[in-house]
Amino acid sequence: MTNRRKWTKARSTRPPDGRVRQSQVVSTFGPGSMLDLLNDAVLVGGLDFWRLKDQGEVVNEPRLLEIVEPLYHRNKWPLSKEAPFRKPPAGDEGGPTESCGIQVYEFPRWFVCQNPHCRTLVRANSLERVNQEYRHRCAGGDAKPERCVPVRFVSACPRGHLSDIDWTWWTHERKPCDAPQLKLEEGVSGDFSDIEVACSTCGKRRRLIDMTHKEQQDRCDGERPWLGLEAKERCDEKQRLLVRTASNGYFAQTTSAITIPEPESLRRKVQSAWNILQSATAETLPAFRTIPQVQAALGSASNAEVLAAITAEREHSPEAVPEIRTAEWLQFLAQPQEKPGEMPRDRTEVFWARRIARPQGLPPLVERVVLARRLREVQAQVGFTRLEPLTKDLQGRYDLDVALAPMSLHRDWVPVTEMQGEGMLLVLDEPQVHAWELSEPVLRREEVLRAGYERWKQGSGSKLPFPGVRLYLLHSLAHLLMTQVALECGYPASSIRERLYCAPHSDAVPMAGILLMTGTTGAEGTLGGLVEEGRRLGQHLARALEDARLCSNDPVCAHHEPTGRDDRDLEGAACHGCLFLPECSCERFNQYLDRALVVPTLGHEDVAFLKTPWT
């Protein structure tokens, strides 16, 4: 399968066959993904085949390490302490060579002749290579060789393994004839039931739909070609038919963190004056606080808070650190009110946000709006899956009990991308969200969504609890807003991304907010179009909700429930006509969506969070 290798920047006499942005290599086209170049279908190589100069460009984000490190420790993968995050290597388009860029492998190795009277299915090593294309010399003629294209079908398993289908073995049901000559015959519809593989030698024929039947699926052979020839492992899963370009062929598992100023904790302030405070008690602390050094260190902290920090320091107990999204949420909420003409003063400042005056037309269910002119997001890919995506908890952590397909056998770092951009945060009113959650119609709807989640959970192996109806509300509202804002702000919908801040009312820090953001990998960041649209958020919200009342697929969309009759156990009233967005914009793969929870829909008028016009 990997006898012949290619590189994305491997030809020094002409431009490369294909280009991929560095940010795409940490998501859509990461290690183990299938990619079509100009003349070739390839498989992106693992990290062991990335050509980094020295150590590559190292990125520092300690808060992101809090999520990535436990996952790698659980899977027993090495992770560097000094440089765990590095950017993908850049190719040299002026002089592409095999020593730079990312190495890719030709995959699949089976090709189909494009002569409509031939349609031979043959391995690449039996074909001619003419002008960077594979050619097949059809039987019975002296015409020039016909062009061949890679076959559309491969095999995969839920553990991420990937391999070519042995068409000779499968067509003959494990008993090949002496001189097999295979042809791929596709019907008009392109459905699996209309596609047949036939052997001209013995007359044996099989329909492709047979490969979808569980009782006829072979055991997976555990191939991991993106990791090299020595990476094959034992696997007890069944092989499944996979269309090479299908969206379920690769799900990059990414996690990210927004860089925020780290406030100095009271514990660290106590440490700065520890030579004095180490013997402090409730009786002596007021006297100690009159000392200038102690007074400057402790500031306005109460005596009770200081004594608790002193006790924790004496007992060497670990310092309590907020979860990654909770810390970001608190940072956003702590931002001061915007002043006229106020702008970031330092171009190197990576976080700058302000709370703005209430936009005109904003409903009372929205508590505040925070605009961020400077955001830095670091996104890391920790692995990938095929066939089914994995889900994250509300803080962006993956279930440690679910194994990810590895990106490397020997590397001790993970690829990251660094985005400089802007964003706007919509904060919902917590008391009103909680009251809505406890209403009788919403509780009934939650039970329907919970039942669908439990069915999905049984098949996925996830142990994460049901995230709650609040996540469905926030996620659906985010998608409606992104679609509407994209029409005005100058950025396409695929360039705007969501970040959900969701935590139940019972948590110490409940959260109900939506951050819409955009960014680039350049140092200059973005142009401010998204931030300015935040001042018109009331108008955008009104239009988005008006459009969402009726979907082009209603009443089918509105009446959909996760009842187990289809594969959509994580969606309520949601489809491509109303809520689905490009997957690069959605952090949950277009799942956990229900339009009925946001606005009144057909048959579900009583569960909407926003029921009546507010303007």
Side-chain angles (χ1 to χ4, degrees):
M1 181 184 305
T2 55
N3 293 335
R4 183 177 179 274
R5 294 181 178 179
K6 285 184 165 295
W7 291 265
T8 53
K9 314 294 183 191
R11 291 175 171 80
S12 58
T13 58
R14 61 186 182 89
D17 287 338
R19 298 174 177 87
V20 175
R21 294 194 303 271
Q22 284 180 293
S23 59
Q24 290 180 299
V25 183
V26 188
S27 55
T28 312
F29 302 120
S33 63
M34 290 171 281
L35 170 66
D36 284 337
L37 301 180
L38 187 62
N39 294 311
D40 298 286
V42 298
L43 184 70
V44 179
L47 303 183
D48 298 311
F49 303 99
W50 289 23
R51 307 304 188 190
L52 296 176
K53 293 182 180 179
D54 299 325
Q55 282 192 337
E57 188 174 351
V58 177
V59 176
N60 182 37
E61 184 51 65
R63 294 175 61 248
L64 186 59
L65 191 61
E66 297 173 10
I67 292 182
V68 176
E69 192 171 34
L71 189 65
Y72 267 59
H73 178 73
R74 172 65 176 79
N75 285 277
K76 298 180 180 179
W77 299 337
L79 191 62
S80 170
K81 296 293 185 182
E82 292 76 23
F85 300 136
R86 304 179 193 179
K87 289 185 178 181
D92 184 1
E93 295 190 11
T97 65
E98 297 178 6
S99 61
C100 67
I102 297 174
Q103 189 175 5
V104 298
Y105 301 88
E106 186 177 64
F107 184 85
R109 294 284 291 164
W110 283 84
F111 287 75
V112 182
C113 179
Q114 292 301 284
N115 185 339
H117 303 292
C118 179
R119 298 295 294 171
T120 297
L121 184 62
V122 61
R123 289 184 182 272
N125 53 15
S126 300
L127 298 172
E128 301 178 27
R129 187 78 172 179
V130 180
N131 295 328
Q132 306 304 321
E133 291 183 344
Y134 281 112
R135 300 278 178 168
H136 176 249
R137 195 171 295 279
C138 304
D142 297 328
K144 65 179 182 180
E146 293 285 345
R147 178 172 176 265
C148 293
V149 299
V151 68
R152 293 192 294 131
F153 311 104
V154 295
S155 66
C157 87
R159 292 183 58 188
H161 299 138
L162 185 71
S163 63
D164 263 318
I165 298 172
D166 191 334
W167 294 101
T168 303
W169 183 268
W170 177 79
T171 305
H172 295 87
E173 299 184 53
R174 306 180 184 181
K175 297 179 180 178
C177 62
D178 293 335
Q181 296 290 328
L182 302 182
K183 292 185 178 182
L184 184 67
E185 301 175 355
E186 301 191 47
V188 177
S189 68
D191 188 76
F192 288 164
S193 59
D194 283 347
I195 301 176
E196 290 186 330
V197 181
C199 179
S200 303
T201 303
C202 64
K204 184 70 176 178
R205 308 176 69 89
R206 288 194 74 180
R207 295 188 306 166
L208 200 63
I209 198 171
D210 294 342
M211 204 177 296
T212 64
H213 300 153
K214 291 185 178 181
E215 62 275 6
Q216 299 190 34
Q217 292 173 348
D218 294 328
R219 187 171 66 85
C220 176
D221 54 13
E223 290 192 26
R224 301 183 293 180
W226 67 95
L227 298 180
L229 296 177
E230 72 278 7
K232 187 174 181 179
E233 65 178 2
R234 178 178 175 80
C235 181
D236 296 324
E237 296 281 351
K238 291 285 189 177
Q239 281 185 338
R240 300 187 191 178
L241 178 66
L242 177 66
V243 178
R244 180 169 53 82
T245 56
S247 59
N248 66 338
Y250 188 82
F251 294 103
Q253 303 303 316
T254 61
T255 188
S256 65
I258 292 177
T259 303
I260 60 175
E262 292 289 346
E264 188 178 10
S265 66
L266 183 58
R267 178 88 169 264
R268 293 180 183 176
K269 294 178 180 178
V270 167
Q271 291 172 351
S272 66
W274 188 242
N275 59 330
I276 301 173
L277 294 176
Q278 59 183 335
S279 60
T281 63
E283 291 77 18
T284 60
L285 180 59
F288 285 157
R289 296 193 69 163
T290 61
I291 302 174
Q293 178 186 351
V294 177
Q295 189 176 20
L298 300 183
S300 60
S302 66
N303 287 344
E305 292 173 335
V306 174
L307 287 172
I310 292 173
T311 302
E313 183 66 20
R314 287 172 180 163
E315 297 175 353
H316 303 287
S317 59
E319 188 173 0
V321 178
E323 288 280 1
I324 187 166
R325 297 212 178 184
T326 301
E328 296 170 5
W329 174 258
L330 294 175
Q331 184 70 30
F332 276 114
L333 296 188
Q335 296 308 303
Q337 189 76 23
E338 181 186 46
K339 297 178 182 178
E342 189 178 19
M343 296 289 288
R345 290 174 296 180
D346 188 353
R347 295 180 63 87
T348 63
E349 199 169 0
V350 295
F351 182 90
W352 194 93
R354 289 295 184 266
R355 178 180 178 177
I356 64 171
R358 191 175 187 83
Q360 185 178 3
L362 204 64
L365 295 170
V366 178
E367 193 264 328
R368 73 176 75 178
V369 175
V370 180
L371 300 183
R373 291 191 176 273
R374 295 278 179 85
L375 285 179
R376 174 183 180 261
E377 183 194 23
V378 179
Q379 185 180 67
Q381 182 176 357
V382 296
F384 66 90
T385 60
R386 304 193 198 276
L387 305 176
E388 287 290 339
L390 293 183
T391 190
K392 296 181 281 191
D393 66 12
L394 299 179
Q395 293 288 344
R397 297 180 183 272
Y398 285 102
D399 186 354
L400 297 181
D401 291 330
V402 178
L404 299 170
M407 300 183 294
S408 168
L409 290 179
H410 308 294
R411 297 295 190 187
D412 59 355
W413 51 272
V414 295
V416 301
T417 182
E418 187 179 17
M419 308 293 287
Q420 307 284 347
E422 59 184 297
M424 59 179 178
L425 177 71
L426 179 73
V427 180
L428 300 185
D429 185 71
E430 176 60 32
Q432 296 189 68
V433 172
H434 184 52
W436 169 81
E437 288 176 310
L438 297 180
S439 63
E440 188 62 31
V442 174
L443 290 175
R444 290 196 300 267
R445 185 66 174 174
E446 184 174 30
E447 287 305 312
V448 174
L449 297 174
R450 185 191 300 274
Y453 179 84
E454 293 300 330
R455 276 189 295 272
W456 170 85
K457 187 175 176 179
Q458 291 176 3
S460 68
S462 173
K463 295 183 180 180
L464 296 176
F466 178 63
V469 71
R470 180 180 297 217
L471 177 65
Y472 285 78
L473 167 67
L474 294 173
H475 197 196
S476 303
L477 183 58
H479 279 218
L480 293 174
L481 272 177
M482 276 193 285
T483 301
Q484 187 60 231
V485 170
L487 299 176
E488 301 287 342
C489 72
Y491 298 111
S494 58
S495 296
I496 304 175
R497 292 172 292 115
E498 67 186 2
R499 190 169 182 85
L500 304 178
Y501 293 97
C502 179
H505 185 76
S506 58
D507 274 19
V509 182
M511 297 187 291
I514 301 162
L515 176 65
L516 303 186
M517 57 184 177
T518 187
T520 71
T521 54
E524 295 300 321
T526 48
L527 300 177
L530 184 62
V531 163
E532 291 307 313
E533 291 305 318
R535 305 183 189 279
R536 304 171 54 221
L537 199 54
Q539 301 174 38
H540 292 313
L541 192 56
R543 292 174 184 171
L545 299 179
E546 182 62 31
D547 293 344
R549 290 178 183 274
L550 190 65
C551 173
S552 59
N553 290 322
D554 279 344
V556 176
C557 175
H559 292 168
H560 176 266
E561 294 183 355
T563 57
R565 291 193 295 266
D566 53 25
D567 294 332
R568 298 172 57 202
D569 287 329
L570 297 179
E571 297 107 57
C575 70
H576 288 281
C578 54
L579 287 184
F580 288 0
L581 288 176
E583 288 192 354
C584 55
S585 300
C586 176
E587 65 177 9
R588 292 189 177 266
F589 299 103
N590 280 323
Q591 297 172 332
Y592 304 99
L593 294 168
D594 190 358
R595 179 166 49 97
L597 296 175
V598 184
V599 294
T601 58
L602 297 175
H604 299 291
E605 292 81 4
D606 56 348
V607 299
F609 182 64
L610 297 165
K611 294 181 180 179
T612 57
W614 57 88
T615 57

